[in-house]
Amino acid sequence: MADAPQHDAVSVQMISPEGRFEPNAAAEEFLPYLDRLDEDRLRTFYRDMAVIRRFDAEVGHLQRQGQLALWVPSHGQEAAQVGSGHAARPQDSIFPAYREHAVAKIRGVDLIDIVRMLRGLTHGGWVPAEHGNFHLYTLVIGSQTLHATGYAMGIALDGAPTGDPEKDEAVMVYFGDGATSQGDTNEAMIWAASYATPQVFFLQNNHWAISVPVSRQSRTPLVDRARGFGLRSTRIDGNDVLASYAVTAKQLDDARAGRGPGFIEAMTYRIGAHTTSDDPTRYRGADELKFWEARDPITRYRHHLEQRELADAAFFADVESEAADLAADTRRRTLALGTPGIDLIFDNVYAEDHPVPREQKKWLQDYEAGFGEAR
Amino acid sequence: MTTWTMAKALNRGLEAAMVADDKVILMGEDIGPLGGVFRVTEGLSARFGTDRVLDTPLGESGIVGAAIGLAMRGYRPVCEIQFDGFIYPAFDQITSQLAKLTARHEGSARFPIVIRVPYGGHIGAVEHHQESPEAYFAHTPGLRLVSPSTPNDAYWMIQQAIASDDPVMFFEPKSRYWPKGEVDEGESAAPLHTTRVVRGGTDVTLVGHGAMVSVLLQAAEVAAGEGTSIEVVDLRSLSPVDYGPLLKSVEKTGRLVVAQEAPGFASVGSEIAATIAERAFYALEAPVLRVSGFDAPFPPAKLESLYLPDADRVLDAVDRALNY
Ligand SMILES: Cc1ncc(C[n+]2csc(CCOP(=O)(O)OP(=O)(O)O)c2C)c(N)n1
Ligand SMILES: [Mg+2]
């Protein structure tokens, strides 16, 4: 296994790979947080995971058909994302990397906006304040961790927590195992600890940074490294949606209550390629893939719901059709996307008037007009 | 003569340099079994082993900073930055450290480090994957900068850059990775820091580097059809600039258009324009004109063709120079 030296840390697990509700010892302190979930929410977790998987596959196809510059698959990481995404409260702010499509959906981002970005129509895509405080994707590895820390510092500077978890804010930042090697990520943890920020670092350890195994990034479990920075740190089975939910809920509530920053290492796996530009057969074995496919987060949770008789065939059929509808809708809307104009290049380079983009925009408009209909 | 893509020519050039000197080592993200995202290092880790092809942790500052230490220990590291837009985490190590260490050692140490940077647009990629950051580094004393435009130059220039005892920033025009061209493995090449006239002409001189050279050649072809004779100069070396052939060309044509993908403000093109105005003032029949990327962030891929100078935009400047 690529991560052999890292297997010795314990992961919080609520559901066994076979779907049985069997919280391990590490899960004990997080169990009360599951009480927040009624049956509807438990079903919603399944719905979100299944629907996003279908969306992910559909956009992957669209990319192959030339409709997108790139696609970044989330296949395999649905439980880590859906559990943590649902644990955040409405007032919380989320700083994603670029693979957190499920969290985007939970926070109210229209998924077509992610498609627009990866189609090459925008570098942004949505207004964070109007979409669950879900900030823009960041493609430069690790940069967003410091933004999250600064935002969390701002929350602390605004005043002490009220003690009301429905009001007090917290921040969650997502990043990958590769990102843990960047200076920015390490500085973010140092600053967070130093200023006792109300934030949670959510690491999706999917075992690979493109072709580089996590053993190249760390010879010690990353959950332990975070402790060295002074963060409350927990490793979870990242393919267990209930573990992801419960641990994140506790970490965020501790952070918002003023107990300082936390860190979660979600052990999961990137089932697909890094992106549609990647060919994982060049660097990883079929055995490893098989091992993780057998631990599929959605299948596991389906068994769990079935065993608890929380969902029946009609429910799963309904989810299936919702997923198919979203896929069809995404395809239709993608094909209908137009092309932005010159404005997008120049209009928001600066917040205030600046002569250079203003003049260059005029020049380009006149220049293009000179071609008449020919272009 | 063989026919290779630029990616292959670089691969073979790296291989030749590694065979010639066992102190040459490669460092970068995904350059091992994957062979780099552009496959430039394909097969090299299998051939030379993981002690000479280092698939590094994910951190550009680490790559360049560690390369500096390795150079102090007698190695000749060749660093790969995965994409242009990801070089900035290494900015301090490159500009404040690497660029100054030769001077600070007052002759007692050398820093033979090559930093390979795939750069430029035309590939329809997402943000940070299409930029041209060369001006930041050209502005920094202590760094040498080159950029090949053909497979043959790539093959030879990478070996020359590795042989240099100075830090060399090696800018690889990624849109030119795949077209094939002839490579002469036997004939030793022109010196590293030389410009070259790649098409003779008498009316206007066009100069550019990297992927821009093929755009300039296209423009020259179109202009020839309209009766304008254009000379095209491939800059090849951005720092230092070999002004000799360029001055000679401008003395002949009296007109110069400098083209680049990078934003024009405080750019390599600005430097060339200023120097030619200083040194060939009386030969000029028109102001030196620049055609650049706009002074705006590189736009989303669907707008790149509006942003990047194409043959039409170059010809528009040619017309302005001729009609001045
Ligand atoms: C500063 C920087 N360097 C290199 C890259 C190229 N790159 C894109 S994704 C990636 C691997 C990231 O791995 P990880 O942090 O584990 O996240 P994952 O993609 O696995 O979710 C690399 C090297 C980048 N985007 N930014
Ligand atoms: Mg990863």
Side-chain angles (χ1 to χ4, degrees):
Chain A
M1 292 303 295
D3 64 327
Q6 306 209 358
H7 271 315
D8 33 317
V10 184
S11 296
V12 171
Q13 192 182 74
M14 300 285 182
I15 313 174
S16 74
E18 297 72 36
R20 282 187 301 275
F21 188 68
E22 284 175 355
N24 60 9
E28 200 97 338
E29 63 173 308
F30 303 99
L31 280 171
Y33 292 82
L34 292 183
D35 297 343
R36 296 178 181 178
L37 299 172
D38 61 19
E39 293 188 0
D40 263 351
R41 278 214 71 213
L42 288 169
R43 281 187 288 266
T44 299
F45 287 7
Y46 181 85
R47 189 179 289 274
D48 283 349
M49 292 197 289
V51 163
I52 214 71
R53 171 141 332 157
R54 184 71 181 78
F55 163 80
D56 180 56
E58 188 70 16
V59 186
H61 296 321
L62 283 163
Q63 197 284 337
R64 292 273 176 240
Q65 292 155 11
Q67 293 297 325
L68 280 83
L70 186 78
W71 183 244
V72 187
S74 51
H75 188 156
Q77 301 180 214
E78 294 88 352
Q81 295 184 12
V82 167
S84 59
H86 276 288
R89 295 178 185 267
Q91 73 271 23
D92 291 344
S93 293
I94 313 289
F95 289 77
Y98 45 75
R99 207 183 282 286
E100 287 69 52
H101 315 320
V103 186
K105 180 172 186 294
I106 291 165
R107 299 301 288 188
V109 172
D110 184 345
L111 294 172
I112 200 73
D113 287 335
I114 300 176
V115 172
R116 289 198 306 121
M117 181 194 155
L118 292 169
R119 184 176 163 88
L121 299 174
T122 172
H123 286 328
W126 56 88
V127 179
E130 293 168 9
H131 295 88
N133 307 317
F134 186 81
H135 285 260
L136 299 182
Y137 274 180
T138 296
L139 301 186
V140 182
I141 300 299
S143 302
Q144 78 280 7
T145 58
L146 275 167
H147 308 163
T149 295
Y151 194 94
M153 287 169 68
I155 292 173
L157 289 173
D158 283 349
T162 63
D164 179 357
E166 308 278 343
K167 291 215 179 82
D168 291 329
E169 291 177 56
V171 172
M172 181 153 54
V173 58
Y174 288 90
F175 55 104
D177 44 291
T180 62
S181 293
Q182 277 289 16
D184 277 7
T185 308
N186 289 274
E187 290 178 39
M189 290 194 271
I190 290 164
W191 282 57
S194 183
Y195 288 101
T197 53
Q199 83 178 107
V200 173
F201 290 85
F202 195 98
L203 162 62
Q204 290 176 84
N205 181 345
N206 65 7
H207 289 75
W208 291 92
I210 311 187
S211 72
V212 181
V214 62
S215 56
R216 171 64 66 210
Q217 317 296 345
S218 185
R219 297 289 178 168
T220 190
L222 287 160
V223 65
D224 292 345
R225 191 196 285 175
R227 288 193 190 105
F229 285 100
L231 307 182
R232 287 173 287 108
S233 187
T234 309
R235 180 184 264 195
I236 64 170
D237 178 337
N239 285 5
D240 173 350
V241 71
L242 295 186
S244 178
Y245 172 82
V247 172
T248 311
K250 176 172 188 336
Q251 286 262 18
L252 278 170
D253 279 358
D254 283 352
R256 83 179 74 253
R259 290 195 276 275
F263 185 101
I264 297 168
E265 181 186 21
M267 302 302 284
T268 182
Y269 195 76
R270 194 195 79 209
I271 294 289
H274 169 69
T275 66
T276 42
S277 304
D278 180 38
D279 174 9
T281 62
R282 295 176 75 105
Y283 54 80
R284 68 183 191 189
D287 285 358
E288 182 178 310
L289 187 60
K290 239 191 249 139
F291 174 91
W292 283 97
E293 273 171 347
R295 276 151 193 77
D296 182 76
I298 301 182
T299 312
R300 184 197 301 201
Y301 194 58
R302 181 185 177 121
H303 289 154
H304 176 71
L305 290 180
E306 285 169 345
Q307 283 167 25
R308 284 173 69 183
E309 294 181 7
L310 288 172
D312 55 13
F315 168 77
F316 292 115
D318 185 55
V319 170
E320 193 97 335
S321 85
E322 181 181 330
D325 286 351
L326 175 64
D329 196 49
T330 300
R331 171 167 292 271
R332 184 184 53 72
R333 291 174 74 194
T334 299
L335 298 178
L337 287 169
T339 306
I342 287 173
D343 296 0
L344 190 67
I345 300 178
F346 298 103
D347 283 4
N348 291 295
V349 179
Y350 300 92
E352 295 180 13
D353 181 56
H354 188 296
V356 172
R358 182 171 16 91
E359 286 159 14
Q360 291 188 357
K361 177 180 174 183
K362 172 86 172 59
W363 183 89
L364 183 57
Q365 280 170 333
D366 293 347
Y367 172 80
E368 286 294 310
F371 288 93
E373 295 298 300
R375 258 154 96 101
Chain B
M1 284 283 187
T2 27
T3 304
W4 284 335
T5 63
M6 184 183 287
K8 175 97 171 184
L10 287 165
N11 179 271
R12 290 303 165 90
L14 289 169
E15 184 179 38
M18 293 178 82
V19 168
D21 182 349
D22 61 13
K23 292 292 182 191
V24 174
I25 58 171
L26 312 186
M27 308 170 67
E29 295 157 9
D30 304 289
I31 67 168
L34 187 66
V37 296
F38 294 105
R39 308 292 184 259
V40 167
T41 56
E42 179 148 44
L44 298 180
S45 106
R47 166 148 190 203
F48 295 99
T50 50
D51 283 353
R52 294 192 64 196
V53 180
L54 276 60
D55 227 346
T56 66
L58 203 172
E60 290 74 12
S61 183
I63 292 169
V64 177
I68 291 171
L70 282 156
M72 290 170 167
R73 183 73 190 177
Y75 287 88
R76 305 182 81 86
V78 181
C79 304
E80 174 174 308
I81 300 295
Q82 199 162 82
F83 279 90
D84 35 61
F86 303 141
I87 196 168
Y88 304 109
F91 200 74
D92 170 70
Q93 289 292 350
I94 298 173
T95 59
S96 282
Q97 301 301 325
L98 181 56
K100 293 174 177 158
L101 280 168
T102 306
R104 286 187 60 214
H105 282 83
E106 298 177 355
S108 73
R110 294 173 175 214
F111 294 86
I113 295 173
V114 174
I115 302 176
R116 298 181 34 239
V117 190
Y119 81 115
H122 298 290
I123 66 162
V126 295
E127 197 182 11
H128 315 295
H129 292 72
Q130 305 222 77
E131 300 172 4
S132 296
E134 59 269 27
Y136 296 112
F137 304 100
H139 189 68
T140 304
L143 303 173
R144 296 173 180 271
L145 272 69
V146 299
S147 180
S149 70
T150 65
N152 191 60
D153 273 352
Y155 177 73
W156 288 106
M157 288 167 76
I158 190 65
Q159 295 179 66
Q160 294 165 330
I162 292 168
S164 170
D165 277 348
D166 279 321
V168 179
M169 308 274 306
F170 195 89
F171 286 94
E172 301 173 3
K174 63 176 98 78
S175 65
R176 305 304 299 170
Y177 271 143
W178 304 289
K180 288 186 173 172
E182 289 208 330
V183 176
D184 186 342
E185 286 176 274
E187 189 73 13
S188 79
L192 184 60
H193 295 292
T194 53
T195 59
R196 187 172 56 229
V197 175
V198 291
R199 177 183 172 121
T202 52
D203 298 335
V204 180
T205 302
L206 302 181
V207 64
H209 59 272
M212 189 53 68
V213 176
S214 61
V215 174
L216 299 183
L217 288 168
Q218 267 172 42
E221 197 58 37
V222 174
E226 294 165 0
T228 304
S229 167
I230 286 187
E231 182 144 305
V232 178
V233 179
D234 180 355
L235 199 55
R236 295 174 79 249
S237 175
L238 319 189
S239 178
V241 174
D242 174 23
Y243 280 108
L246 198 51
L247 285 165
K248 217 169 122 200
S249 178
V250 171
E251 276 153 18
K252 175 170 61 174
T253 62
R255 293 175 172 85
L256 177 65
V257 175
V258 189
Q260 58 191 354
E261 292 183 24
F265 192 86
S267 61
V268 171
S270 306
E271 178 61 30
I272 290 171
T275 303
I276 296 298
E278 280 172 10
R279 291 169 62 176
F281 189 71
Y282 289 108
L284 287 169
E285 306 282 347
V288 180
L289 297 175
R290 281 170 296 158
V291 182
S292 309
F294 294 104
D295 292 298
F298 197 100
K302 294 279 182 198
L303 290 169
E304 73 168 334
S305 62
L306 280 170
Y307 179 90
L308 290 167
D310 59 4
D312 283 336
R313 261 197 8 230
V314 171
L315 288 168
D316 175 75
V318 165
D319 285 346
R320 281 184 281 134
L322 284 169
N323 297 330
Y324 183 77

